[in-house]
Amino acid sequence: MIRINENYLKLKASYLFADIAKRVTAYTAANPGKPIIRLGIGDVTEPLTPASIEAFHAGVAEMAVRSTFKGYGPEQGYAFLREAIATHDYAARGADIAADEIFVSDGSKCDCGNIQEIFATEGLKLAIPDPVYPVYVDTNVMAGRTGANLDGRYQGITYLDCTPANGYVPAIPSVATDLIYLCFPNNPTGAVATREQLVAWVAYAKANKAIILFDSAYEAYIRDPKIPHSIYEIPGARDVAIEFRSFSKTAGFTGTRCAYTVVPKSLMAYDDAGNAHSVHALWNRRHTTKFNGVSYPVQKAAAAIYTDAGKAQVKAMTDFYLGNAALIRAAMTKLGLSCVGGDNAPYIWINTGTDSWAFFDKLLNEAQVVCTPGAGFGKCGEGHVRISAFNSRENVETALARIAATLK
Ligand code: MLT
């Protein structure tokens, strides 16, 4: 008799954004004359930049000619892209990351979800913020690292509460943990971590022989020059952290798919006997076994964001979304709602103080605007909703007018 992985039975029936999509589809079917504006899932709306499109076309043209055609590429990514990343995202910020410590992939969601596979299941102590991008929790539940979900929280996880009291930046836990998930600029709250806060996390990880999984998918939205873009800007982080980056929100690649994960060669994890093993070697083994690389034209398109023209175009694109974010934040504040985020991140986290799914339903039914209910990101997300800045200016302005009419 074929048996299932019973850990899946501990999960909520569907993934947060699938749940929301189901409600929106049902509403649209019942109300065909009422157009919806989507400020829920963080999906980009602006086209790829001219630099990326030109490189994408050039890559496709090379695939059409025998002499430049390419079959399987290196699983870890082409050298031209890995070298551009090492130079522009790391060396330029004083971070010591080599090109061969970078693994190009088809998305940070997959990488954040897959990375846990190379660590122990039994006895591994997890630290996960709340609210949080649900992938971190759900993939650990699937792997069997948690107990049941009791009252909205899985047993076996040290939750790091992010609340108005701590500015939505979690405190270091008072207990030892082994695998720590951090995301800055944060999804869903848009909060950022200061250098001092990251220094403290690196020291904690070092003291506990732990590893930090640092998701910086939204770093391109940082405008405050004092805020680190990478955990590797912190001395010693090479020995305790893996970093996830994505071209999705940086350069509009949500539909094109390209991201990367940095696993420094100095990062170690331990077997039962306490012997150190290279995490880079383990991830390389996993990556080469289960992944065949991102397509050549897509990697060409990604590399183009590091040219002078590409940099300027990507900055203009992220500035545009931050302009939306500023409008959203100002409109919410005018309605008397307190909010964070939106200044160094494309998300605005609004403290409504009310049931977050009820607030979601109200905006959907009365304003035809989709947001994301905070409860979907964890227990501490209750009483909040997230509004995404990813949409056209016209749609954002229309949505804000509709929300104002609904809430006034
Ligand atoms: C979100 O809305 O939280 C993100 O779009 C999800 C993702 O990047 O997978």
Side-chain angles (χ1 to χ4, degrees):
M1 178 177 66
I2 179 70
R3 300 198 25 226
I4 61 163
N5 174 353
E6 291 194 24
N7 294 310
Y8 276 65
L9 303 179
K10 300 174 194 162
L11 293 165
K12 279 189 54 217
S14 54
Y15 181 60
L16 170 63
F17 292 107
D19 226 10
I20 291 171
K22 222 183 292 166
R23 289 193 190 210
V24 174
T25 304
Y27 180 85
T28 311
N31 301 275
K34 294 189 173 171
I36 296 282
I37 297 178
R38 292 167 201 270
L39 301 177
I41 191 166
D43 194 5
V44 295
T45 54
E46 302 309 297
L48 296 179
T49 63
S52 283
I53 284 295
E54 199 183 307
F56 210 161
H57 279 300
V60 170
E62 284 182 62
M63 297 299 268
V65 176
R66 181 173 299 278
S67 60
T68 50
F69 169 79
K70 293 185 171 48
Y72 292 126
E75 291 98 337
Q76 303 86 348
Y78 284 99
F80 65 80
L81 178 55
R82 299 168 88 198
E83 280 160 15
I85 292 167
T87 302
H88 297 279
D89 285 345
Y90 293 105
R93 301 200 63 85
D96 172 24
I97 293 297
D100 64 359
E101 295 177 313
I102 294 163
F103 293 83
V104 175
S105 78
D106 61 349
S108 279
K109 179 182 184 177
C110 325
D111 287 351
C112 294
N114 290 329
I115 195 82
Q116 47 77 30
E117 258 186 63
I118 62 172
F119 300 111
T121 308
E122 288 298 311
L124 186 144
K125 297 194 282 301
L126 289 166
I128 304 186
D130 177 357
V132 77
Y133 181 41
V135 173
Y136 312 156
V137 174
D138 286 3
T139 52
N140 278 290
V141 175
M142 290 169 178
R145 283 194 194 88
T146 72
N149 189 327
L150 298 180
D151 196 23
R153 286 194 155 177
Y154 289 98
Q155 293 174 298
I157 294 179
T158 296
Y159 284 94
L160 309 172
D161 289 357
C162 305
T163 64
N166 59 22
Y168 303 99
V169 176
I172 303 232
S174 53
V175 295
T177 57
D178 306 311
L179 192 62
I180 304 140
Y181 288 78
L182 295 178
C183 173
F184 292 110
N186 188 259
N187 178 14
T189 69
V192 286
T194 62
R195 179 172 301 276
E196 295 67 35
Q197 285 165 330
L198 293 183
V199 165
W201 277 107
V202 167
Y204 168 81
K206 206 159 232 173
N208 289 289
K209 289 188 162 174
I211 286 181
I212 296 170
L213 301 177
F214 192 77
D215 182 350
S216 61
Y218 299 93
E219 65 77 31
Y221 291 85
I222 295 173
R223 291 295 179 270
D224 181 341
K226 295 189 295 303
I227 300 297
H229 288 232
S230 164
I231 191 139
Y232 303 122
E233 290 176 48
I234 309 303
R238 277 186 57 84
D239 304 330
V240 294
I242 291 172
E243 182 162 289
F244 304 95
R245 289 269 188 110
S246 170
F247 294 91
S248 285
K249 315 299 160 78
T250 300
F253 275 57
T254 53
T256 311
R257 312 305 310 149
C258 198
Y260 64 87
T261 291
V262 181
V263 189
K265 290 190 176 166
S266 50
L267 185 65
M268 297 292 150
Y270 304 87
D271 63 23
D272 282 351
N275 302 306
H277 295 268
S278 159
V279 175
H280 181 279
L282 294 176
W283 183 244
N284 191 54
R285 186 71 175 84
R286 193 263 173 218
H287 197 71
T288 49
T289 303
K290 295 194 174 183
F291 189 64
N292 254 340
V294 173
S295 86
Y296 173 71
V298 168
Q299 293 193 55
K300 291 279 284 184
I305 77 159
Y306 298 107
T307 60
D308 288 346
K311 279 184 191 169
Q313 291 161 8
V314 158
K315 166 82 170 36
M317 186 193 277
T318 50
D319 277 347
F320 169 76
Y321 289 126
L322 284 169
N324 286 347
L327 291 176
I328 296 167
R329 192 162 165 164
M332 294 304 119
T333 307
K334 199 167 162 199
L335 288 167
L337 297 168
S338 75
C339 42
V340 295
D343 38 7
N344 293 292
Y347 297 126
I348 296 89
W349 185 242
I350 302 154
N351 189 347
T352 67
T354 55
D355 180 276
S356 64
W357 276 106
F359 196 90
F360 167 89
D361 284 334
K362 186 174 174 67
L363 289 197
L364 177 60
N365 291 310
E366 296 175 29
Q368 291 78 49
V369 172
V370 182
C371 64
T372 308
F377 296 107
K379 205 170 173 173
C380 291
E382 190 47 283
H384 296 74
V385 294
R386 189 193 77 176
I387 295 191
S388 148
F390 294 114
N391 215 311
S392 66
R393 184 60 48 84
E394 190 188 352
N395 277 351
V396 167
E397 285 171 348
T398 307
L400 293 177
R402 288 192 201 162
I403 294 172
T406 300
L407 297 184
K408 75 168 185 246

